């Protein structure tokens, strides 16, 4: 006797089943992702998504997965009608669980594990009901219209409609100028607070950040410069248009037709690198690789969807969504990427390409070199030499500093180390300008879109308690043939930068701006700063408080025997750093230190790109059960760092130490880890057992 399908399911047509799959996938996958994209259109801007690409993404999300499963189910029906019925019920239950899980995450208040079990149980019930209830199957068939509804809503949302129907680029109008037009170098760094650059004399630290200091020596430094927004997609357009941010506008030329590029485009050749905005629209067809871009978008959407779907406890191992608008998963498994030769995130290659674009041709044709670089923005992963360490941000919150000061201090340390590399990159750009014979005659603008704060119990870019850290940014402007330094302490804002460029060029702004040339003494002094449309007092003492925090932790270049050593001498026992292990009483400890093996694997696979300069792990066993501890990391018999080991998600005590690159162990055998007990001369070192594992604390 031949097998027959489960009652009722075999009676419905394949078209009805197709409609059910389209509706279920739209509710579980397509509609949530399209809604997230519509609320965050900068994601598409960062990916340089064309209208065709946007349409492909939307249709692909709504059509691709259900068609694939529909084909699989139809094929299964030919081989086993009974098996096909159960497959259809199971897939219906899984999709129903996928619809309910995000809802349960935000409403039940249960733990992540409990929420998963609840969603799984609900999905199982739906699967059983699908087998037995004709009414449920009919209802799911009606849901087949959901993809069409989701597509119409997405396409007609205001930001997406703008991207689907972009306006033609405004034709630049040539301005009148009797003088020879100088080359222009315009650099915007990302998330760089002014305090990070300063030494104890409130000058740019010439030892740690020589390129910034050298440029300041031939520029005007506006020491009270202030950013106007803490989000790049709003802060950068404000710099480039001279207008305060408008959250309803996208960071595109369509929404910001009056900008630096339209101002200069008729007279200047433009070389521009915009990682998160598209205010410059080059003439002619773009060079976007559509297929590669769609793959990148798909990979990023996978990460976004998993963050949306999973409970927080299960999403901590996913790549962060807070550090950039694209490329979320590029280095989620850097060891595998290194083994396969997969390139790292593109911000370093983009810097190299931009630097190489500067040449002597700008002496014959006026050229604007514009760079917005995602340095020193997180992920913090670069040593001053440019080599990287792993893991980048273990234990460090992505958005906010918690009550434990150590994580904020180590985040600050990583930021300053990456800033040293950023300074070296700036130095190479300026050297290139010198070699091309452009530096002396050029207008050079160096600034940042916004800053950051490193105080415990504060959001990294929050302005509630320490607005000065987020608002105060470097602003250096070199006029053509300027050879002497000048410092101006009058408060200026980032909307003043473009009018200042126009002033140096001797041209009138052809559109109304909110800013005023920083060189115009006739501008009405502002009584307060503006950040995201809210007024804040001009409060230099707060900046000095933050500077005192930095100097107390890291000193300055002039206070170091080696320019950067002070950046590594933090933690609970800095007096032990540099001392020989043999000078202490030593004991063996049965507790285990599980050390992240990836740091050594990467340094072995790509030694020119990675150094095992970050030692991260978990202390487990009896030592962990006693509570927080202090861990000393030693290489070649010398203590290189002493850091706290703190409770971490019931997994043990998390420790993470950064050591100078010249002491980074090439061989794991050179590394010794100790628990530190006692104080002063009575300190004891208890050597922990070390096991290297392929894991990363999240």
């Amino acid at each position: 006797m031949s097998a027959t399908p489960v009652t009722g399911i075999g009676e419905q047509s394949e078209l009805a089943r197709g409609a059910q799959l389209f509706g279920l996938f739209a509710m579980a996958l397509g509609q949530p992702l399209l809604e997230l994209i519509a609320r965050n259109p900068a994601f598409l801007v960062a990916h340089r998504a064309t209208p065709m690409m946007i349409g492909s993404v939307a249709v692909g999300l709504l059509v691709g997965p259900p068609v694939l499963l529909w084909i699989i189910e139809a094929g299964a029906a030919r081989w086993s009608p009974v098996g096909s019925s159960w497959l259809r019920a199971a897939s219906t239950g899984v999709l129903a669980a996928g619809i309910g899980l995000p809802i349960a995450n935000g409403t039940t208040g249960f733990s992540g594990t409990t929420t998963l079990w609840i969603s799984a149980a609900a999905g199982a019930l739906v699967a059983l009901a699908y087998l037995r209830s004709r009414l449920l199957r009919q209802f799911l068939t009606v849901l087949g219209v959901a993809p069409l509804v989701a597509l119409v809503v997405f396409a007609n949302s205001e930001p997406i409609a703008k991207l689907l129907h972009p306006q033609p680029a405004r034709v630049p109008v040539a301005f009148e100028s009797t003088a020879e037009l100088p080359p222009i170098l315009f650099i915007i760094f990302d998330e760089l607070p002014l305090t990070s650059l300063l030494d104890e004399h409130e000058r740019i630290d010439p030892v740690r950040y020589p390129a910034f200091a050298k440029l300041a020596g031939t520029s005007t430094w506006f020491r009270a410069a202030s950013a106007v927004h803490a989000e790049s997609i709003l802060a950068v357009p404000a710099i480039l248009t001279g207008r305060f941010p408008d959250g309803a506008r996208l960071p595109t030329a369509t929404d910001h037709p009056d900008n630096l590029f339209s101002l200069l485009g008729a007279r200047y050749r433009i070389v521009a690198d915009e990682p998160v905005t598209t205010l410059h629209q080059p003439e002619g067809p773009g060079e976007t690789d559509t297929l590669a871009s769609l793959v990148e978008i798909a990979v990023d959407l996978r990460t976004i969807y998993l963050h949306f779907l999973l409970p927080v406890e299960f999403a901590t191992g996913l790549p962060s969504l807070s550090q950039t608008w694209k490329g979320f998963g590029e280095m989620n498994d850097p060891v595998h990427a290194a083994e396969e030769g997969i390139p790292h995130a593109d911000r370093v290659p983009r810097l190299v390409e931009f630097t190489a674009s500067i040449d002597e041709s700008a002496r014959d044709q006026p050229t604007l070199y514009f760079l917005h670089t995602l340095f020193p923005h997180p992920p913090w992963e670069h040593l001053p030499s440019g080599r990287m360490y792993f893991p980048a941000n273990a234990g460090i919150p992505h958005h906010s500093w918690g009550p434990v000061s150590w994580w904020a201090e180590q985040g600050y340390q990583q930021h300053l180390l990456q800033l040293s590399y950023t300074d070296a990159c700036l130095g190479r750009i300026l050297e290139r300008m010198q070699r091309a014979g452009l530096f002396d005659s050029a207008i050079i603008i160096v600034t940042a879109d916004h800053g950051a704060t490193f105080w415990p119990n504060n959001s990294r870019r929050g302005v509630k308690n320490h607005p000065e850290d987020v608002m105060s940014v470097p602003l250096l402007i070199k006029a053509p043939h300027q050879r002497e330094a000048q410092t101006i302490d009058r408060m200026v804002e980032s909307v003043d930068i473009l009018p200042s460029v126009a002033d140096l060029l001797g041209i009138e702004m052809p559109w109304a701006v909110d800013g005023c040339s920083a060189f115009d003494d006739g501008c009405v002094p502002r009584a307060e700063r503006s950040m995201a449309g809210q007024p804040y007092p001009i409060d230099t003492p707060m900046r000095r408080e933050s500077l005192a925090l930095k100097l107390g932790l890291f000193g300055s270049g002039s206070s170091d025997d080696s320019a950067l050593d002070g950046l590594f001498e933090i933690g609970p026992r800095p007096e032990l750093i540099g001392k020989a292990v043999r000078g202490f009483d030593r004991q063996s400890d049965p507790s285990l230190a599980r050390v992240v093996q990836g740091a050594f694997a990467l340094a072995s696979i790509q030694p020119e790109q990675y150094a095992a300069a970050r030692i991260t792990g978990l202390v487990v066993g009896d030592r962990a059960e006693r509570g927080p501890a202090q861990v000393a990391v030693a290489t070649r018999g010398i203590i290189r760092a002493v850091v706290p080991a703190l409770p971490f998600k019931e997994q043990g005590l998390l420790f993470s130490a950064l050591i100078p690159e010249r002491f980074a162990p090439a061989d794991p055998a050179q590394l010794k880890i100790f628990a530190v007990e006692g104080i002063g001369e009575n300190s004891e070192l208890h050597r922990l057992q070390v096991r290297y594992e392929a894991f990363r604390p999240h």
Side-chain angles (χ1 to χ4, degrees):
M1 183 172 62
S2 62
T4 58
V6 177
T7 303
I9 294 184
E11 299 173 2
Q12 67 180 2
S13 68
E14 288 296 335
L15 287 177
R17 180 54 183 168
Q20 294 167 7
L21 289 176
F22 275 91
L24 286 166
F25 268 106
M27 300 291 289
L29 174 69
Q31 187 277 332
L33 277 177
L34 293 180
E35 183 179 350
L36 286 170
I37 293 172
R39 291 206 306 258
N40 299 276
F43 171 79
L44 296 173
V45 176
H47 278 282
R48 301 293 191 269
T50 62
M52 185 192 73
M53 290 166 58
I54 296 171
S56 298
V57 168
V59 173
L61 286 172
L62 295 169
V63 174
V67 166
L68 180 60
L69 184 55
W70 192 11
I71 293 172
I72 293 172
E73 289 184 354
R78 290 179 174 272
W79 290 97
S80 172
V82 173
S84 172
S85 297
W86 285 103
L87 174 61
R88 294 182 180 194
S91 58
T92 300
V94 169
L95 290 169
I99 295 171
L101 182 55
I103 299 172
N105 289 337
T107 58
T108 63
F110 294 128
S111 69
T113 302
T114 302
T115 302
L116 284 175
W117 278 111
I118 291 173
S119 298
L125 290 175
V126 170
L128 291 174
Y130 182 80
L131 290 171
R132 299 183 175 277
S133 173
R134 181 188 301 271
L135 184 61
L136 175 60
R137 293 192 295 272
Q138 290 175 341
F139 171 74
L140 294 178
T141 303
V142 174
L143 279 184
V145 301
L148 181 60
V149 173
L151 186 62
V152 170
V153 171
F154 174 73
N156 285 280
S157 62
E158 183 177 358
I160 301 303
K162 290 180 181 179
L163 294 174
L164 289 173
H165 307 285
Q167 299 300 312
R170 178 165 296 181
V171 178
V173 178
F175 54 84
E176 297 294 330
S177 177
T178 57
E180 182 179 352
L181 294 176
I184 301 174
L185 174 65
F186 198 135
I187 300 176
I188 301 176
F189 291 102
D190 206 296
E191 198 169 300
L192 172 54
L194 175 63
T195 304
S196 298
L197 291 169
L198 301 184
D199 64 11
E200 65 270 27
H201 305 294
E202 294 193 57
R203 63 178 185 176
I204 296 176
D205 193 323
V207 180
R208 288 185 178 165
Y209 309 113
F212 280 97
K214 184 177 180 180
L215 178 61
T218 58
S219 303
T220 301
W221 176 20
F222 295 92
R223 195 157 49 180
S226 184
V228 296
H229 208 282
E231 292 288 342
S232 297
I233 58 173
L234 294 169
V236 172
I239 294 172
L240 297 181
T241 64
R243 292 171 173 162
F244 285 119
D246 180 352
R249 295 177 182 267
L250 297 176
T252 64
T254 296
D255 275 11
H256 298 281
D258 298 321
N259 61 63
L260 170 71
F261 308 113
S262 63
L263 176 67
L264 302 182
R267 300 291 300 273
Y268 274 79
R269 176 172 70 102
I270 296 177
V271 177
D273 188 350
E274 298 179 88
V276 298
T277 59
T278 56
L279 271 67
H280 176 230
Q281 290 187 329
E283 294 182 4
E287 299 181 358
T288 302
D289 185 334
T290 300
L291 180 59
S293 295
L294 287 173
V295 171
E296 291 176 357
I297 291 173
V299 171
D300 282 346
L301 285 177
R302 178 191 62 186
T303 302
I304 292 171
Y305 183 68
L306 290 175
H307 273 282
F308 165 78
L309 179 68
L310 296 175
V312 174
E313 302 97 297
F314 295 93
T316 53
L318 296 172
S320 169
L321 302 181
S322 67
Q323 299 177 357
T324 181
W325 284 101
K326 59 178 288 191
F328 306 126
E330 284 176 334
M331 289 299 289
N332 197 37
D333 187 356
V335 177
H336 171 73
E339 290 173 340
E340 298 297 324
I342 300 171
H344 187 56
D346 65 353
R347 56 182 175 172
V348 172
R350 293 178 80 143
L351 265 175
V352 172
E353 182 179 354
F354 176 82
T355 304
S357 71
I358 300 172
D359 57 31
E360 295 84 354
S361 64
R363 288 186 289 182
D364 302 321
Q365 180 182 6
T367 302
L368 164 65
Y369 295 105
F370 174 83
L371 171 67
H372 172 205
T373 176
L374 298 180
F375 278 110
H377 189 285
W380 300 308
E381 58 191 352
H382 285 271
L383 296 162
S385 69
R387 292 171 78 190
M388 294 182 290
Y389 51 83
F390 175 82
N393 297 335
I396 295 181
H398 294 140
H399 294 287
S400 299
W401 306 117
V404 180
S405 63
W406 168 247
W407 298 124
E409 292 168 7
Q410 191 168 69
Y412 209 164
Q413 177 190 33
Q414 293 182 259
H415 161 78
L416 293 175
L417 289 170
Q418 188 148 290
L419 177 56
S420 180
Y421 172 64
T422 304
D423 178 84
C425 294
L426 174 63
R428 285 189 281 271
I429 292 172
L430 297 178
E431 181 183 0
R432 185 83 176 186
M433 292 285 290
Q434 291 275 15
R435 289 168 52 192
L438 305 175
F439 183 88
D440 184 60
S441 62
I443 295 174
I444 299 178
I445 306 99
V446 171
T447 189
D449 56 355
H450 55 79
T453 186
F454 295 92
W455 291 90
N457 288 314
N458 276 272
S459 170
R460 198 179 81 233
R461 288 181 295 185
V463 294
K464 182 178 179 180
N465 297 319
H466 292 275
E468 192 76 15
D469 296 347
V470 181
M471 299 171 73
S472 290
V473 293
L475 176 57
L476 301 170
I477 302 180
K478 184 191 100 52
H481 309 294
Q482 181 176 352
R483 295 181 175 86
E484 294 184 356
Q486 184 179 8
T487 301
I488 295 178
D489 284 325
R490 181 179 72 253
M491 199 274 287
V492 298
E493 295 183 284
S494 52
V495 292
D496 299 322
I497 297 175
L498 183 60
S500 302
V501 174
D503 192 2
L504 290 175
L505 290 172
I507 62 178
E508 296 288 334
M509 288 298 302
W511 64 83
V513 294
D514 297 315
C516 180
S517 172
F519 298 101
D520 186 353
D521 293 331
C523 286
V524 178
R526 296 187 178 97
E528 55 193 11
R529 302 169 184 254
S530 174
M531 168 58 72
Q534 299 298 315
Y536 289 87
I538 301 172
D539 198 348
T540 302
M542 286 189 69
R543 187 178 74 201
R544 291 176 179 150
E545 183 182 356
S546 294
L547 179 59
L549 171 69
K550 189 193 81 163
L551 295 173
L553 290 170
F554 307 104
S556 66
S558 61
S559 64
D560 288 348
D561 294 331
S562 176
L564 299 171
D565 278 358
L567 297 181
F568 295 93
E569 296 171 356
I570 65 170
R573 304 293 297 277
E575 74 278 5
L576 300 183
I577 297 174
K579 292 189 175 182
V581 169
R582 65 175 180 270
F584 295 86
D585 289 334
R586 285 166 288 162
Q587 300 181 29
S588 180
D589 193 307
S591 297
L592 176 68
R594 300 173 56 213
V595 175
V596 175
Q597 183 184 32
F600 296 95
L602 287 165
S604 173
I605 297 168
Q606 294 184 342
E608 74 289 346
Q609 190 172 356
Y610 285 92
R614 185 171 195 175
I615 311 300
T616 302
L618 288 166
V619 177
V620 297
D622 179 66
R623 176 72 57 178
E625 293 174 1
R626 299 184 219 168
Q630 296 176 0
V631 168
V633 174
T635 64
R636 303 168 195 167
I638 304 297
I639 297 174
R640 307 301 184 187
V642 182
V643 298
L646 303 171
F648 185 73
K649 299 181 179 179
E650 300 182 354
Q651 299 177 22
L653 302 178
L654 176 65
F655 67 90
S656 187
L658 278 159
I659 61 178
E661 184 178 346
R662 64 185 185 276
F663 302 135
D667 183 347
Q670 299 173 336
L671 178 69
K672 301 293 185 292
I673 297 177
F674 302 89
V676 181
E677 292 190 356
I679 57 175
E681 297 179 356
N682 297 320
S683 296
E684 296 180 353
L685 299 181
H686 294 247
R687 182 175 173 181
L688 303 174
Q689 310 303 308
V690 176
R691 186 172 71 206
Y692 297 94
E693 300 181 16
F695 80 108
R696 179 171 49 171
H698 295 294

